[in-house]
Amino acid sequence: VALLNQDGRTVRFYDDLVRGHHTVAISFMYAQCGDICPMTMANLARVQALLGERLGRDVRLASISIDPARDTPAILKGYAERFDAHAGWQFLTGRPADVELLRRQLGVYERDPAKDRDKTQHTGMLVFGNQARGRWSRISALADPHKIFISITRWT
């Protein structure tokens, strides 16, 4: 699946984000969200600070928009700047069908189809894994930042 990051560059989900000996932590969000997304991104900014130089090397963060029709790379760039995202934390958008495929494959959707169609009801889970180790898990993106840090760095 090809996505676009906040700089307008193409990012291949598996080849560029997942494959390798690092851990990738993936959240889903949208820039116009006025509820859970800003809290989640602020929490991930605290995790980013804990990662320090490990960000981009041992751990990669990826926040994927569930509103790709509105969340252009330019919108995502402003959103990334709002949370002081450093290199190693990408904000991504893509074709709606591709974003939906990723949500389904990663298990980040609501079982109730009506609730799932309402993007304001999206799940606040952080899916993380290390492909080389074959290990994947999830944690609430609103969990204590230290707990998230320990969880996402244990396989690096």
Side-chain angles (χ1 to χ4, degrees):
V1 172
L3 301 168
L4 289 176
N5 72 8
Q6 70 269 23
D7 298 317
R9 288 194 315 265
T10 299
V11 174
R12 295 168 301 174
F13 180 78
Y14 180 77
D15 291 337
D16 297 331
L17 286 176
V18 175
R19 185 170 58 182
H21 293 278
H22 59 274
T23 295
V24 61
I26 305 158
S27 63
F28 287 86
M29 48 61 70
Y30 65 106
Q32 291 76 30
C33 176
D35 187 27
I36 193 171
C37 299
M39 292 185 295
T40 298
M41 295 302 108
N43 208 41
L44 291 179
R46 291 189 276 284
V47 173
Q48 171 184 247
L50 293 170
L51 288 167
E53 291 183 9
R54 297 179 77 176
L55 179 66
R57 185 186 69 214
D58 301 328
V59 177
R60 297 176 185 176
L61 299 178
S63 295
I64 302 172
S65 174
I66 60 169
D67 190 5
R70 291 172 54 183
D71 286 343
T72 64
I75 295 288
L76 292 178
K77 187 168 188 73
Y79 200 69
E81 289 170 355
R82 176 178 170 190
F83 295 100
D84 194 30
H86 299 169
W89 184 5
Q90 296 191 71
F91 286 74
L92 303 157
T93 189
R95 295 182 344 180
D98 291 339
V99 170
E100 185 63 18
L101 174 66
L102 292 174
R103 278 190 343 113
R104 296 284 168 185
Q105 291 296 313
L106 293 170
V108 185
Y109 62 94
E110 296 290 341
R111 287 184 174 193
D112 177 348
K115 193 174 182 181
D116 191 56
R117 280 190 296 277
D118 180 359
K119 68 178 168 269
T120 67
Q121 299 295 312
H122 75 88
T123 179
M125 296 304 294
L126 183 68
V127 177
F128 61 96
N130 183 304
Q131 181 271 334
R133 293 181 184 247
R135 302 291 308 263
W136 286 88
S137 190
R138 66 179 62 213
I139 188 170
S140 169
L142 292 174
D144 177 89
H146 288 92
K147 185 173 183 179
I148 294 173
F149 171 80
I150 290 166
S151 295
I152 66 176
T153 57
R154 68 181 178 207
W155 299 322
T156 57

